[in-house]
Amino acid sequence: MADSTGQEPAELGHTGAVAADPYDRIAWRDLYARSAALRELAAELAARHAHTTDLLADAFLAAYLAAPRVREAAEMAPSRRFNREVVAELAASPGFAALRRETAGDPYAAALAVLAEAPALRLLLDRTEPVREAADRVAEARRSAGRPARTAGETGETAQQAGATAGALGAGATSADGAAGPASAPAAPAGQAASRAEAAARQALEAATPGIRAAARTATAQAVRVTREEAALMRAWGVGHGELERMPYEERARLAERLRTGRLARWAELIGRFRQMADGERARKVENATGELIGVTLGDDLSRVLPSELAHLGLPELRAVFAARYAAGELMLYDSRGEQTTGQGAVIACVDTSHSMYEEGPGGITREAWSKACALALLDQARHARRDFVGILFSAADKLQVFRFPADRPAPVERVLEFAETFLGGGTSYQRPLSAAAALLAEEFDTAARGRGDIVLITDDECGVTEQWTREWQEARHRLGFRLFGLAVGAPTATASGSVLEALCDNLRPIEDLTDVRAAADLFRLI
């Protein structure tokens, strides 16, 4: 009902169930403007139900705020008390604390939670339309009860006071002097109507509460599942939480969609298992360990000096002798046998992407998927050791693609995904990818004086190499001191005695079960 100015009277009470400052509401409005999915959901719900955009905002703020507070029912505008009940039940759901571990302070994750809650909320709204209609009748009845007081200016009461007076006096009451007041008579029926409407709305909401509670629990459980799955998906692909928070909303949404669809979605679980395995192997690896004592040697490592040498420091006349022997590297040291220090040059993964790599093995895992997952774990390994990483995808002699990831720069997610998605097809040639790898190590050796790199050749085929190429390969290996590891994926003949792979590799192993990531576990202790 409009007043004399043509405007609807303002409804008393808050329209937002979650108390939030203006900056938090700006976060919601900004996200709403950026998210087409949120706008589509809001438009769909608003076409069928009233006040649903406020409900979505409340659901977002409950997930996003560091310490959300749901307002008391008495603070709410009557038309929004249903929203308040829904949000209160969401916040009281058993899984809500787990949800907020994924969403608090992260507007994208909070928006994802709202979208995940949408099916349960949509069903709830359809089933409880009479409850909200009853609440709207309360608001209309309050406006009707307050209107006479606004038009009869001689009473001096506000609309709220008039409604309260009407409700207190009742239908047949009179003013204090015994005569009916000018506004009381018409206001009394309206006040009674408002009271009846409020009682009916309260009863309807109480009756709907068990259904609201059940829907809220379903919505929360769905939101927890979706947000956790996306977080796990991002972790599987090496995208850290800090990187995600810095990523613009549109870019993050595109990335999530890319990872959820196509071949990449099917690889996520395998990649995650590879990365977890590699982390465990790194924890077991001990570099520069004392190891097993096997004798005495000479050197200048003070951590392994014999006690008899250290005793010289206690005699002033022998301190100069100790210093001279230390400078010359002739102190007597414990000699030990432990794990050798890993290489310092680049880690290079040469991944076969010939047609046969597309074949599926046990568990529906393709040879390509296993190889790319292993290569991405090697990327992690290189970055952990502050070594450059290079991914070389190859097939036939004329098909090669190189992806470089320097240690001193972040690895762009888009570039990592491009490396994972690229598939060349065709036949198989060892010479070109291995020559490219040796050339990269030579470049690194000449420009940065770093040697002892590691090359990992992952293939499922066997092919020949020329004598001339073999001589050049051995010369490069002798000069640069690199190692070649071979992984024969689903190709037992490639590891047979006398095979080309056996002749080329320092360390060669067959990979027969593609569901077993631990088949390559010791590789991550050696590199």
Side-chain angles (χ1 to χ4, degrees):
M1 182 185 298
D3 61 18
S4 58
T5 66
Q7 301 292 322
E8 284 288 333
E11 188 178 4
L12 295 177
H14 291 283
T15 58
V18 178
D21 62 37
Y23 296 103
D24 295 324
R25 296 200 174 273
I26 287 173
W28 159 250
R29 289 195 293 270
D30 179 66
L31 196 73
Y32 184 84
R34 293 173 179 271
S35 172
L38 276 178
R39 294 195 302 275
E40 290 170 5
L41 174 62
E44 175 205 340
L45 296 180
R48 299 159 58 191
H49 309 290
H51 318 307
T52 49
T53 303
D54 287 337
L55 176 60
L56 295 181
D58 285 330
F60 168 84
L61 292 168
Y64 172 68
L65 295 181
R69 181 181 73 82
V70 179
R71 300 184 194 277
E72 296 297 327
E75 301 178 68
M76 300 300 300
S79 61
R80 306 307 199 279
R81 285 181 183 170
F82 176 84
N83 290 0
R84 185 263 172 200
E85 192 69 19
V86 173
V87 175
E89 292 296 345
L90 285 173
S93 297
F96 192 68
L99 175 64
R100 286 183 34 76
R101 283 194 288 271
E102 304 289 344
T103 61
D106 185 343
Y108 174 90
L112 183 64
V114 173
L115 294 172
E117 292 165 351
L121 294 179
R122 187 182 292 115
L123 184 61
L124 173 66
L125 290 168
D126 288 341
R127 291 176 173 175
T128 56
E129 182 65 26
V131 179
R132 290 185 309 287
E133 289 176 351
D136 288 338
R137 285 194 291 270
V138 172
E140 179 60 31
R142 282 188 171 185
R143 284 193 290 268
S144 298
R147 187 168 181 78
R150 284 194 293 274
T151 55
E154 66 272 16
T155 64
E157 292 181 310
T158 64
Q160 184 180 12
Q161 290 169 331
T165 301
L169 292 176
T174 59
S175 59
D177 59 4
S184 63
Q192 288 181 332
S195 297
R196 287 195 297 270
E198 286 209 38
R202 186 165 53 251
Q203 291 173 359
L205 186 58
E206 289 174 355
T209 296
I212 295 173
R213 182 174 300 119
R217 293 187 176 193
T218 300
T220 302
Q222 178 70 359
V224 169
R225 184 185 65 80
V226 170
T227 54
R228 281 181 173 173
E229 283 180 356
E230 180 154 316
L233 185 65
M234 293 297 180
R235 286 194 299 270
W237 284 97
V239 186
H241 185 71
E243 184 177 0
L244 286 175
E245 288 190 337
R246 293 190 297 271
M247 197 176 291
Y249 178 86
E250 296 87 343
E251 181 181 343
R252 185 167 171 182
R254 286 194 302 269
L255 174 61
E257 180 64 22
R258 184 175 179 183
L259 295 182
R260 280 195 296 264
T261 58
R263 294 191 302 155
L264 298 183
R266 290 184 283 122
W267 295 359
E269 190 271 338
L270 179 64
I271 292 170
R273 287 197 290 127
F274 249 107
R275 284 193 152 122
Q276 186 177 12
M277 177 273 293
D279 284 342
E281 294 305 312
R282 275 196 295 273
R284 292 177 58 189
K285 181 167 66 174
V286 181
E287 299 180 8
N288 301 319
T290 301
E292 177 188 359
L293 297 177
I294 59 173
V296 176
T297 186
L298 298 179
D300 59 0
D301 185 352
L302 295 178
S303 67
R304 294 190 289 135
V305 174
L306 267 62
S308 58
E309 291 279 30
L310 292 175
H312 293 165
L313 293 175
L315 301 173
E317 60 272 19
L318 294 179
R319 288 175 186 168
V321 175
F322 180 93
R325 294 178 65 185
Y326 172 68
E330 295 179 351
L331 293 174
M332 288 191 294
L333 313 176
Y334 286 118
D335 196 7
S336 63
R337 178 168 52 208
E339 294 191 32
Q340 298 298 313
T341 306
T342 57
Q344 298 302 309
V347 176
I348 302 179
C350 297
V351 181
D352 187 351
T353 58
S354 60
H355 283 310
S356 58
M357 293 289 285
Y358 204 67
E359 294 180 9
E360 288 188 358
I365 299 173
T366 64
R367 298 172 181 180
E368 179 203 11
W370 193 97
S371 302
K372 296 284 183 63
C374 182
L376 292 175
L378 287 170
L379 168 60
D380 287 348
Q381 189 84 350
R383 301 196 76 78
H384 181 80
R386 297 182 178 84
R387 300 168 67 184
D388 291 351
F389 176 81
V390 181
I392 298 179
L393 304 180
F394 71 94
S395 57
D398 61 338
K399 293 185 177 180
L400 187 85
Q401 195 160 346
V402 178
F403 296 82
R404 305 184 71 163
F405 300 92
D408 59 352
R409 293 197 293 274
V413 177
E414 290 293 324
R415 189 67 170 162
V416 172
L417 295 180
E418 185 183 357
F419 169 66
E421 288 181 310
T422 301
F423 189 82
L424 302 177
T428 304
S429 170
Y430 292 164
Q431 291 186 185
R432 191 174 177 205
L434 291 178
S435 294
L440 288 167
L441 291 176
E443 176 188 341
E444 185 181 40
F445 182 80
D446 293 337
T447 58
R450 289 199 298 267
R452 295 170 44 237
D454 292 308
I455 303 172
V456 181
L457 176 63
I458 311 175
T459 183
D460 71 338
D461 208 351
E462 173 75 351
C463 67
V465 293
T466 66
E467 290 185 13
Q468 176 64 27
W469 181 87
T470 302
R471 284 194 295 270
E472 293 172 355
W473 172 258
Q474 295 298 344
E475 290 172 2
R477 175 183 288 189
H478 179 72
R479 173 174 175 256
L480 302 172
F482 59 76
R483 298 178 295 181
L484 175 61
F485 298 87
L487 298 174
V489 184
T493 58
T495 60
S497 177
S499 68
V500 173
L501 271 180
E502 184 189 44
L504 289 176
C505 296
D506 300 292
N507 188 304
L508 175 64
R509 72 210 63 200
I511 307 298
E512 299 177 1
D513 183 0
L514 301 185
T515 63
D516 182 14
V517 299
R518 296 205 61 80
D522 60 331
L523 186 67
F524 294 89
R525 291 197 303 272
L526 296 171
I527 292 179

